[in-house]
Amino acid sequence: MATLKDVARLAGVSVKTVSNVVNGYSFVKPDNRARVEAALEATGYRPNLGARNLRRGRTGFIALVLPELSIPYFAELAGLVIAAAQEHEWNVLIEQTFGTLSGERLALASLGPHLVDAAILSPEALQVDDFQLSVPAVLLGEHAVDVPISRVGIDNVAAAKTAVGHLVSLGRKRIAAIGAHPQRGTAALRLEGYRAALAEADLEFAPSLVVPALNYHRADGAAAMKSLLDLRNPPDAVFCFNDLLAIGAMRAAAERLVRVPHDLAVVGFDNNEESLYSSPSLTSIAPDKAAIASAAVDLLHSRAGSPDLVPADVQTPFSLLVRESTVAR
Amino acid sequence: MATLKDVARLAGVSVKTVSNVVNGYSFVKPDNRARVEAALEATGYRPNLGARNLRRGRTGFIALVLPELSIPYFAELAGLVIAAAQEHEWNVLIEQTFGTLSGERLALASLGPHLVDAAILSPEALQVDDFQLSVPAVLLGEHAVDVPISRVGIDNVAAAKTAVGHLVSLGRKRIAAIGAHPQRGTAALRLEGYRAALAEADLEFAPSLVVPALNYHRADGAAAMKSLLDLRNPPDAVFCFNDLLAIGAMRAAAERLVRVPHDLAVVGFDNNEESLYSSPSLTSIAPDKAAIASAAVDLLHSRAGSPDLVPADVQTPFSLLVRESTVAR
DNA sequence: CTCGGTATTTACATCGTTGGAACAACGATG
DNA sequence: CATCGTTGTTCCAACGATGTAAATACCGAG
């Protein structure tokens, strides 16, 4: 692999002049510039990023800490973050926590200024004390704990209220919720939106219709749905805190020969592509994931120099996409 | 951020002694070692990986080049590769190509020995000439072109034959295939397996039943299925070259009120988790993704020093998971 | 008490790059 | 022709770590 030194020798100039050409410094004589460029071409020179970053005091990487890539929401988001990071010449390092406290702590511990310039975090279990970060960071989604770190995400209360309001407008009376979780901030907010929508419609809040989910996988949704269908008085609608839960719930309903949406209307959250092709297709809250990704990256970029500004709270848009799981074809 | 120098000053020893302690060098006097360790603890020292790698001539990263993270198969695989890479103290850099030739060339060009130690590639369109790699690499899946690069993956011909053989054993006579593609090596092999299974069952090969798909997304599967259902004599079974195509196909069938599996049996390929929860659930070829991921990483690791051994061809196991899309509950 | 050998530590150079200061070349000015 | 400011180039140090080799400390044997 060619280094600056090789190029310099070939072009008959000093290393620094080559460096100047590479970095677009103006004051280089045309003929020297031409010779250097020819030599760059001839050697196929590519800067050693490690050395450059060592010298510049940055790493060229940002970390994306998320529960699991096999969860479609995070996979899609990761793809968008990678694309957004490219615009700022950042490479993205993905760390999976599997949603556990220990996994998240481990990931955080491995984050140092020597490894990444900044981090995008999607924590689920972290406590206040854990947020002793050595690099600028942005949190995705809500966090239960109150820490002075910027946040990017949608208004979960409003989104949940919209979703449940939709079910109410369809005339559903016994509306269940799947996805309550003691630790997760987003879960608490979505539950709050759920209750607000019920209250607004003068529907009674029934604790028995709120089912917790430890993980937000399809299997959890199916299990939760089964327990709801076992109730003496089962629901006629269900709001799931993410699409995977909803997919699992619809599967469980199908196995019990409960018709969706006729007997049971289902709304999800995240708008995974999967939900557009399920049978029936799934009504879902659609956050603007590209907006989340680019807002997070831009925020980190703009703050790269000035670490301790007042934390930002960026609200990205969302919409409700009505499909067959609530309104039949 | 503390450096070796800071630690050395605090412990009252030279920088190199600290380095020796950090790297587990044996000949350090116990009391010095203790003082250094205390100083390490006190300063919270973390090695600067950039500097270390610059000195060692490695980067600590491997690249994973794949079409798109929003495709579940690749998202799942990426998660497994990250986990496997951790075992060898490697970080994973993900590059998306979106399945285009230009995207793949771009990704390959950005790979240099200064950026990554090795690469795992999942190319779809690359030509022979493109494989001028400057780092050790492993290819996932088949490649149409013949290049001296190690490969990890399942036996696509055998897998396809198994899938179609299953449809044959159910008594299906008009078996279609969705996913033919002029460029992709895997597509050619799966088609070969399809034809072999037909031949073995004395079923005629009908070109009209083979539908190409440019991308392997759900939408392509739906479009292909629609064209098959428009035939004067539509198929009674379809083998889709991946699960997303199959999901799209099942959706299209449902929209035309074609019953799966009664009127149409469907088999997919990849065994995405999504396929277990669709209605009906999808029969699919299940490659052992964890085996693929760890085989690829291990191969790169074992060859890190010796670049040009004879390329390996690792065949990982697969199985056929029979579900409701071929055999009703 | 010196010598020889081993154990332990240190100084120094180095990886490839860039910032800063010093320096050289140049035409223009007085 | 000396001086000056501008432009262009080079030299040197530094980023933080590690390999090499030289230097020092330590030990028992002679």
Side-chain angles (χ1 to χ4, degrees):
Chain A
M1 200 68 190
T3 71
L4 279 187
K5 202 152 83 174
D6 304 324
V7 178
R9 184 166 35 224
L10 185 61
V13 297
S14 80
V15 170
K16 189 63 208 297
T17 297
V18 180
S19 169
N20 285 339
V21 171
V22 170
N23 291 290
Y25 181 68
S26 308
F27 302 120
V28 177
K29 265 205 253 168
D31 62 328
N32 268 350
R33 178 182 297 273
R35 284 219 312 292
V36 169
E37 272 164 359
L40 285 171
E41 183 66 26
T43 54
Y45 170 79
R46 306 290 310 273
N48 180 320
L49 298 186
R52 168 179 286 177
N53 292 331
L54 170 60
R55 182 61 242 233
R56 287 189 178 163
R58 58 192 292 272
T59 71
F61 291 95
I62 59 174
L64 174 59
V65 179
L66 44 76
E68 207 176 337
L69 270 181
S70 64
I71 296 177
Y73 174 76
F74 290 111
E76 294 179 24
L77 194 65
L80 294 165
V81 167
I82 290 175
Q86 241 158 20
E87 315 245 307
H88 298 295
E89 304 199 307
W90 261 330
N91 277 112
V92 178
L93 225 68
I94 296 177
E95 306 234 24
Q96 303 184 97
T97 65
F98 300 98
T100 63
L101 182 55
S102 63
E104 295 185 345
R105 288 202 171 130
L106 201 65
L108 243 58
S110 81
L111 258 50
H114 55 273
L115 186 59
V116 295
D117 297 329
I120 299 175
L121 310 175
S122 211
E124 297 193 332
L126 286 175
Q127 311 294 315
V128 169
D129 302 345
D130 294 317
F131 287 93
Q132 307 293 342
L133 296 173
S134 51
V135 294
V138 169
L139 295 176
L140 299 186
E142 319 279 339
H143 38 106
V145 298
D146 191 39
V147 289
I149 300 183
S150 295
R151 191 193 82 87
V152 173
I154 69 175
D155 180 339
N156 274 282
V157 176
K161 209 171 146 193
T162 302
V164 177
H166 169 61
L167 293 172
V168 167
S169 76
L170 297 170
R172 307 288 169 157
K173 300 297 180 199
R174 288 185 56 76
I175 303 175
I178 296 179
H181 193 288
Q183 247 88 55
R184 298 193 194 183
T186 46
L189 293 165
R190 289 176 195 179
L191 194 59
E192 186 186 329
Y194 164 79
R195 296 191 68 155
L198 290 188
E200 202 162 86
D202 281 327
L203 289 174
E204 195 189 347
F205 170 76
S208 63
L209 289 182
V210 174
V211 187
L214 277 189
N215 292 297
Y216 278 23
H217 292 182
R218 298 175 187 84
D220 303 298
M225 192 71 234
K226 277 178 191 147
S227 77
L228 281 171
L229 293 176
D230 284 339
L231 290 179
R232 186 133 38 107
N233 194 359
D236 58 6
V238 59
F239 167 46
C240 300
F241 288 7
N242 80 355
D243 274 13
L244 290 188
L245 291 172
I247 293 285
M250 291 206 300
R251 172 76 204 175
E255 286 177 7
R256 299 284 182 97
L257 304 179
V258 170
R259 292 163 300 171
V260 176
H262 186 270
D263 305 326
L264 180 77
V266 180
V267 177
F269 204 116
D270 283 350
N271 188 37
N272 297 340
E273 180 158 354
E274 173 176 358
S275 307
L276 184 53
Y277 283 85
S278 64
S279 295
S281 58
L282 178 66
T283 294
S284 186
I285 292 288
D288 186 339
K289 293 170 201 140
I292 293 175
S294 61
V297 173
D298 291 349
L299 205 56
L300 289 177
H301 189 253
S302 66
R303 309 208 155 193
S306 41
D308 289 311
L309 297 174
V310 54
D313 189 335
V314 180
Q315 295 234 340
T316 51
F318 68 89
S319 56
L320 175 75
L321 299 181
V322 177
R323 302 206 186 95
E324 298 160 5
S325 68
T326 55
V327 176
R329 256 182 294 168
Chain B
M1 201 69 191
T3 72
L4 279 188
K5 202 152 84 174
D6 303 325
V7 179
R9 184 167 33 226
L10 184 60
V13 297
S14 79
V15 171
K16 190 63 211 296
T17 297
V18 180
S19 169
N20 285 340
V21 171
V22 170
N23 292 290
Y25 183 68
S26 308
F27 301 120
V28 177
K29 265 203 264 178
D31 62 326
N32 266 350
R33 180 183 295 274
R35 284 221 312 291
V36 169
E37 270 164 0
L40 285 171
E41 182 67 26
T43 55
Y45 170 80
R46 308 291 307 275
N48 179 319
L49 298 186
R52 169 178 287 177
N53 292 332
L54 168 61
R55 182 63 244 234
R56 287 189 179 163
R58 59 190 294 274
T59 71
F61 292 94
I62 60 174
L64 175 61
V65 179
L66 44 75
E68 207 177 334
L69 271 180
S70 64
I71 296 177
Y73 175 75
F74 290 110
E76 293 178 25
L77 193 65
L80 294 165
V81 167
I82 289 175
Q86 243 158 18
E87 315 245 307
H88 297 295
E89 304 199 308
W90 261 331
N91 277 112
V92 178
L93 225 69
I94 297 176
E95 305 234 25
Q96 302 185 98
T97 66
F98 300 98
T100 63
L101 182 55
S102 61
E104 295 185 347
R105 288 204 171 128
L106 202 64
L108 243 58
S110 80
L111 258 49
H114 55 272
L115 185 58
V116 295
D117 297 329
I120 299 175
L121 311 174
S122 210
E124 298 194 330
L126 286 175
Q127 312 294 315
V128 170
D129 302 345
D130 293 319
F131 287 94
Q132 306 293 342
L133 295 174
S134 50
V135 294
V138 169
L139 296 176
L140 299 186
E142 318 280 336
H143 40 107
V145 298
D146 189 39
V147 289
I149 299 182
S150 295
R151 191 192 82 85
V152 172
I154 68 174
D155 179 342
N156 274 280
V157 177
K161 209 171 146 193
T162 303
V164 176
H166 169 61
L167 294 172
V168 167
S169 75
L170 296 170
R172 307 287 168 156
K173 301 296 180 197
R174 289 185 56 76
I175 303 175
I178 296 180
H181 192 286
Q183 248 87 55
R184 298 192 196 183
T186 46
L189 293 165
R190 289 176 196 179
L191 194 59
E192 187 185 329
Y194 164 78
R195 295 189 69 154
L198 289 188
E200 202 160 88
D202 281 327
L203 290 173
E204 194 190 350
F205 169 75
S208 64
L209 289 183
V210 175
V211 188
L214 276 189
N215 292 297
Y216 278 23
H217 291 181
R218 298 175 186 85
D220 303 297
M225 193 69 235
K226 278 178 192 150
S227 77
L228 282 172
L229 293 176
D230 284 338
L231 290 178
R232 187 132 38 105
N233 194 359
D236 59 7
V238 60
F239 167 45
C240 301
F241 288 8
N242 81 354
D243 274 11
L244 290 187
L245 291 172
I247 293 285
M250 291 206 300
R251 172 75 205 177
E255 286 176 6
R256 298 283 183 95
L257 303 179
V258 170
R259 291 163 301 172
V260 175
H262 186 271
D263 305 327
L264 180 79
V266 180
V267 176
F269 203 113
D270 282 350
N271 188 36
N272 298 340
E273 179 157 354
E274 172 178 357
S275 308
L276 185 53
Y277 283 86
S278 64
S279 294
S281 57
L282 177 66
T283 293
S284 187
I285 293 288
D288 186 339
K289 293 170 201 138
I292 294 176
S294 62
V297 173
D298 289 349
L299 206 55
L300 290 177
H301 189 253
S302 66
R303 309 208 154 193
S306 43
D308 289 310
L309 296 176
V310 55
D313 189 335
V314 180
Q315 294 233 341
T316 52
F318 68 87
S319 56
L320 174 75
L321 299 182
V322 177
R323 301 206 186 96
E324 299 160 3
S325 67
T326 55
V327 176
R329 257 181 295 169

